Amino acid sequence: TIAHIAERIIALKLELPALLFLQLHLPLTTLAHTACLFCAPVASPLFGFERVKAVEELLSERKNVERLIELLEKKNRDEG
């Protein structure tokens, strides 16, 4: 889920790099989702079905990525 992904990014202290990456690549969400669907059969054995499914769900709609950005920004504001 989006909250789990945000918690993992925060736990690794990668909020700022993740925010930069997500905001820069937000227009490419649809393309990234299509690429994820295409690579899923190969990526699932390598990374695990659950991880690939989580990324697929995140990229399925732009609002999901925007929600992740909001969660990371909120956490960053709360700490800063």
Side-chain angles (χ1 to χ4, degrees), residues 54-65:
V55 171
E56 182 183 319
E57 288 176 9
L58 174 68
L59 297 174
S60 66
E61 293 185 32
R62 184 178 175 137
K63 69 178 181 177
N64 294 338
V65 177

Side-chain angles (χ1 to χ4, degrees), residues 13-34:
K13 305 282 189 206
L14 294 173
E15 299 98 330
L16 292 177
L19 281 170
L20 180 63
F21 179 83
L22 291 169
Q23 289 175 345
L24 285 173
H25 294 91
L26 189 60
L28 301 174
T29 304
T30 304
L31 181 62
H33 179 251
T34 304

